[in-house]
Amino acid sequence: MDVRYSISPSGEKFALPTQKDYEKEFARFKEIVKKQKAMGREIVVVMGVGFVGAVMGAIVADSVDKKGKPGKFVIGVQRPSVRSFWKIPLINKGISPVKAEDPEVDPMISRCVLEKKTLMATFTYDVLSLADVIVVDVQCDFLKESLGNCRTGRVDMEALEESFYVIAKYIKPDCLVIIETTVAPGTTEQVAYPIVRKIFRERGIKSEPLLAHSYERVMPGRNYVASIRDFWRVCSGVNEKAKKRVVKFLNEILNTEKFPLTALDRPIESETAKIVENSYRATILAFLNEWSLFCERNGVDLIKVIKAIKVRPTHSNMIFPGPGIGGYCLPKDGGLGLWAYKHILGFEDEILKITPMAIDINDTRGLHAAQLVRDALRNMNRPIAAAQVLLLGASYREDVGDTRYSGSEVVVRKLAEMGAEIRVHDPYVEHWWEFEAQDTYPGVGQSRARFFRNQERMKELRIQKELFKAMKGADAVIFAVPHQDYLNFEPAKVVKTIGQPAAIIDCFGILDDAKIEKYFELGCEVKGMGRGHIQRIKDSVRKRKPGKR
Ligand SMILES: NC(=O)c1ccc[n+]([C@@H]2O[C@H](COP(=O)([O-])OP(=O)(O)OC[C@H]3O[C@@H](n4cnc5c(N)ncnc54)[C@H](O)[C@@H]3O)[C@@H](O)[C@H]2O)c1
C-alpha cells in the first residue's frame, strides 16, 4: 500500500494515518477524556489548528479557573491532508505549528502539551462526540477570478460547510458550537443552523442546536497571544441559551475584566461587525493609495504628511499602505459581505461600492511598486529584463512569517512578467509556498500566477537566508516590508555588499532623508512609494556633485 506523507515547513516527514489508525486513535482519546472529565475539566475541541486555531487552542488550554487550576482540556482537530497533517504530530510534541515573533507562543504550547497536559491534537472527527464546546477555526475563503475586480469573485465555503456537517453528525445535543471563522454575514443562522438542525432531527435529537458566533481579531506577530486573550470580543448566539453559554465560556478563558465582551442580539450582527471592521481598515488603506500617487507626482513625502496629520488624535489610525494590503483577512472580508448580500440575503442591487473598490485598489498597488523598480533601473540605463532584483520581505507585514496575499507577491510576479530575475530574502519565511507550490497553493487554479505571463519558472523561487549573499551583484533592491532586520541598514555597507550602485526602492517609508541622500551620493537611484520629495534630494546631490547621475 502507498504511504502518503505530510511534510512540515522545517522538512520533517509524517506518514498520513490509514483507516486502521482511526479506531485506535479514538479509543486512546476516550480514555484520556475520561480522566480529564474526572478532574472536572470541560472538553473543548478546536476545529482547524491553523494560524488562529493553534494559538486559540493553547489559550483555552492555558486558562485556569477561580482556584487557579486548569478547567479545560483542549483537543485540536485537523484534517489529515498532505498539506496540513504535520500540524498534529508537531502539536503533540509540544511544538507550535505556527512561527511567531511573539515569545509567548512557543512556551505556551509546550507548557500546555508537556507540563499541564491540557492540549493535544488529533485527526479523528470522532472526538467531536466527546466535546462540551467546539470552537470552529477553519478557513472560509473568497476566491477572486480576476486581479483588481473582486465583484467577479465568490465565497468558497466548502471546508466550513463540511465542518458543519461533521459537527452535526457527531456532537452531543447540548454541545456549544462557537464559530470563530470570519464568515459571510448570515452564515450562522442561514447556513450552519439549518444544516445542524436537519441532522439533529435525523439523529432523533429534538433540542435546538447551540450555535454561537464570536469572531477573532488575532494579529499574528509580536502580540499574537495578547491579540486573542487580552483583547475585546464580540459574540452572539442563535438563541438565548447559546448566547449565555458563549458569554460564560469567553469570560472563563479571556481577559474580559480588562477587555470587556460585547454580546450582540443575533449572529448576523456579530458577523457583520467583523466584515465592517475589516472593510473599514481596508478602505482607509486604499484611500491613501491615490494620495500616495499624488505625492509621488508633486514632490510631497506622504510619510511626513501622515505623521503631521496623526498628531491630531482623531486621525491617529492613518496607516501607510506599503506595496499592497495582504494578510488573510483584509483582501477577502469585504468580498464575503458583497457575496452574502446577494447569495445568502437575496438582494440584487449594488449598494456596496466603496468596500469592493478598496479591495481592488489594495490588490493592485503592488503593480505600481514594480513600475518604480522598472523606472529606477531605466534611469540607470539598465533594462528591467534580465536585471537582478532583490526583494527584501515576502510576508504581508513586518516581523511575521505569514505570506498570505502579501503585496510582495504581486511585485514579484509583475517584475517576473517584465523579465527580471528575482531573489528574495525574508528572515521569517522558510518557504514562499505561493511560488514554490503555485500549482496547488492556495488551491488548484487559485494562484495569482494566472493573472500574469512568464510565471512557470517562478516555482523555482527560493527564499534566501543569507542576506549579504543575496545582495551581491543585485541591480535593484526593494525594501518591501519593514522587518526589524532591514531598518538600520547603512547605505555605504549596502552598496559595498552589492558591489555596485543599485536601484533602491522604498515601499514602506523605511529610508529617512539622510539615507536617501547617501544612496544618491553613492551613485544609486532611489524611488519610493508616496515619496515625491526624493526627486528634490536627488537634484540637490546632483547640484553638489555634477558628475553623478
Ligand atoms: N490569520 C489571521 O490573522 C486571522 C485574523 C482574524 C480572523 N481570522 C479568521 O480565522 C479563520 C481561520 O483562519 P486561519 O488564519 O487560522 O486559517 P488557516 O488556513 O491557517 O487554518 C485553517 C485550518 O483549518 C483546517 N481545516 C479545514 N477544514 C477542516 C475541517 N473540515 N476539519 C478540521 N480542520 C479543517 C485547515 O487544514 C487549516 O489548518 C478565518 O475565517 C480567518 O478569516 C484569521
Side-chain angles (χ1 to χ4, degrees):
M1 199 179 62
D2 254 2
V3 183
R4 291 167 72 224
Y5 292 93
S6 171
I7 300 172
S8 75
S10 64
E12 247 187 297
K13 211 169 151 187
F14 300 99
L16 295 192
T18 58
Q19 211 43 49
K20 65 175 181 5
D21 295 321
Y22 280 79
E23 234 173 85
K24 252 181 26 206
E25 180 81 345
F26 184 44
R28 190 165 75 92
F29 268 91
K30 269 202 287 202
E31 279 309 305
I32 295 168
V33 165
K34 212 164 140 193
K35 286 186 194 141
Q36 294 287 338
K37 288 290 253 187
M39 284 189 264
R41 291 182 186 164
E42 195 172 35
I43 310 301
V44 181
V45 170
V46 176
M47 260 190 116
V49 286
F51 280 95
V52 177
V55 180
M56 175 64 182
I59 286 169
V60 179
D62 203 39
S63 66
V64 288
D65 60 20
K66 286 199 179 91
K67 290 186 199 134
K69 290 214 172 104
K72 319 269 179 215
F73 175 68
V74 178
I75 309 171
V77 179
Q78 174 60 53
R79 279 190 305 197
S81 61
V82 170
R83 199 199 301 162
S84 292
F85 173 71
W86 56 268
K87 295 173 191 174
I88 298 169
L90 235 56
I91 290 179
N92 286 334
K93 285 188 199 182
I95 300 169
S96 169
V98 291
K99 208 173 166 212
E101 256 302 274
D102 184 346
E104 264 205 83
V105 173
D106 289 345
M108 181 184 264
I109 291 184
S110 123
R111 175 170 67 242
C112 291
V113 176
L114 305 174
E115 292 164 33
K116 295 172 99 174
K117 302 204 185 299
T118 49
L119 176 62
M120 290 181 80
T122 184
F123 48 85
T124 175
Y125 287 139
D126 287 310
V127 294
L128 292 168
S129 63
L130 308 172
D132 301 307
V133 178
I134 291 174
V135 180
V136 181
D137 280 324
V138 310
Q139 73 277 20
C140 175
D141 288 319
F142 182 76
L143 306 180
K144 291 173 187 162
E145 296 301 329
S146 48
L147 185 68
N149 183 7
C150 70
R151 285 186 187 279
T152 55
R154 67 182 169 86
V155 172
D156 174 11
M157 283 222 256
E158 214 179 290
L160 191 65
E161 277 186 301
E162 186 196 321
S163 0
F164 296 151
Y165 279 107
V166 176
I167 287 170
K169 205 172 124 195
Y170 286 98
I171 57 170
K172 296 184 285 196
D174 62 346
C175 174
L176 172 71
V177 180
I178 306 172
I179 300 166
E180 284 201 323
T181 301
T182 305
V183 293
T187 297
T188 305
E189 286 154 290
Q190 300 198 36
V191 180
Y193 176 78
I195 292 176
V196 181
R197 193 165 180 276
K198 181 168 170 273
I199 297 179
F200 265 24
R201 295 296 176 260
E202 283 167 13
R203 289 175 58 196
I205 300 169
K206 299 240 160 39
S207 59
E208 281 294 293
L210 300 178
L211 302 183
H213 183 260
S214 176
Y215 62 89
E216 273 294 351
R217 286 167 163 158
V218 54
M219 283 168 288
R222 282 176 204 279
N223 301 314
Y224 208 148
V225 171
S227 71
I228 297 180
R229 187 191 54 206
D230 308 316
F231 219 63
W232 303 270
R233 268 284 182 136
V234 178
C235 66
S236 58
V238 289
N239 49 40
E240 261 321 295
K241 197 166 168 197
K243 187 170 157 182
K244 268 199 192 122
R245 286 271 307 272
V246 71
V247 168
K248 179 173 178 285
F249 178 77
L250 294 174
N251 276 327
E252 283 165 356
I253 56 157
L254 305 179
N255 186 0
T256 51
E257 249 168 55
K258 260 207 175 140
F259 302 91
L261 205 57
T262 307
L264 295 175
D265 291 336
R266 287 180 54 197
I268 193 171
E269 290 173 329
S270 140
E271 293 164 341
T272 304
K274 172 67 183 184
I275 302 301
V276 174
E277 191 171 315
N278 275 354
S279 297
Y280 168 75
R281 205 155 172 79
T283 301
I284 52 170
L285 283 153
F287 160 74
L288 280 182
N289 175 62
E290 61 200 35
W291 290 105
S292 172
L293 297 173
F294 178 95
C295 290
E296 278 174 36
R297 291 169 191 178
N298 292 287
V300 178
D301 183 5
L302 181 62
I303 295 289
K304 295 192 195 97
V305 167
I306 292 177
K307 232 175 160 177
I309 296 169
K310 279 172 82 165
V311 171
R312 253 186 95 157
T314 50
H315 287 53
S316 61
N317 66 355
M318 261 190 161
I319 21 180
F320 188 83
I325 308 307
Y328 186 39
C329 299
L330 262 51
K332 76 169 167 62
D333 287 358
L336 297 174
L338 193 71
W339 184 88
Y341 184 66
K342 200 167 179 173
H343 298 288
I344 294 185
L345 305 164
F347 292 94
E348 288 301 327
D349 56 346
E350 293 192 350
I351 55 164
L352 297 170
K353 295 195 169 59
I354 295 174
T355 298
M357 189 192 284
I359 292 178
D360 294 344
I361 289 170
N362 293 338
D363 282 355
T364 49
R365 189 165 150 85
L367 301 175
H368 180 59
Q371 286 158 358
L372 291 181
V373 181
R374 175 201 64 196
D375 294 349
L377 284 168
R378 182 202 55 217
N379 290 354
M380 300 180 86
N381 292 322
R382 297 182 201 171
I384 181 82
Q388 297 284 336
V389 179
L390 168 64
L391 178 108
L392 297 176
S395 61
Y396 82 92
R397 56 170 285 195
E398 68 275 20
D399 303 324
V400 299
D402 186 353
T403 56
R404 291 185 290 178
Y405 304 107
S406 76
S408 294
E409 183 189 345
V410 173
V411 180
V412 167
R413 293 208 182 275
K414 186 68 195 169
L415 287 169
E417 182 170 85
M418 292 191 278
E421 294 290 330
I422 317 285
R423 312 164 182 181
V424 180
H425 175 271
D426 194 305
Y428 301 97
V429 180
E430 302 284 335
H431 292 276
W432 202 352
W433 295 119
E434 281 79 352
F435 288 97
E436 283 189 41
Q438 63 184 15
D439 291 341
T440 53
Y441 188 81
V444 176
Q446 286 173 28
S447 167
R448 287 194 279 184
R450 71 196 196 284
F451 303 135
F452 299 87
R453 67 174 199 99
N454 246 352
Q455 301 297 311
E456 195 44 35
R457 70 197 163 89
M458 296 312 289
K459 282 180 216 164
E460 289 148 31
L461 189 72
R462 294 292 177 271
I463 298 277
Q464 305 211 12
K465 281 288 149 198
E466 284 177 54
L467 181 60
F468 294 123
K469 214 165 132 193
M471 277 187 176
K472 286 244 157 351
D475 294 299
V477 175
I478 310 169
F479 287 94
V481 184
H483 287 322
Q484 197 63 41
D485 298 41
Y486 303 150
L487 300 183
N488 298 316
F489 281 178
E490 276 312 315
K493 192 159 178 219
V494 171
V495 174
K496 194 166 169 231
T497 310
I498 294 172
Q500 61 176 357
I504 307 290
I505 316 302
D506 182 2
C507 296
F508 246 114
I510 291 171
L511 303 178
D512 61 23
D513 290 359
K515 281 189 181 151
I516 295 170
E517 187 173 338
K518 191 76 195 160
Y519 276 119
F520 278 122
E521 282 172 1
L522 292 162
C524 296
E525 177 68 20
V526 185
K527 288 202 175 286
M529 298 190 94
R531 312 204 72 191
H533 74 306
I534 288 178
Q535 187 61 36
R536 247 189 352 259
I537 300 177
K538 181 176 173 180
D539 291 345
S540 77
V541 173
R542 241 197 226 143
K543 242 183 246 158
R544 270 187 280 128
K545 296 186 162 188
K548 292 278 176 209
R549 264 188 299 255

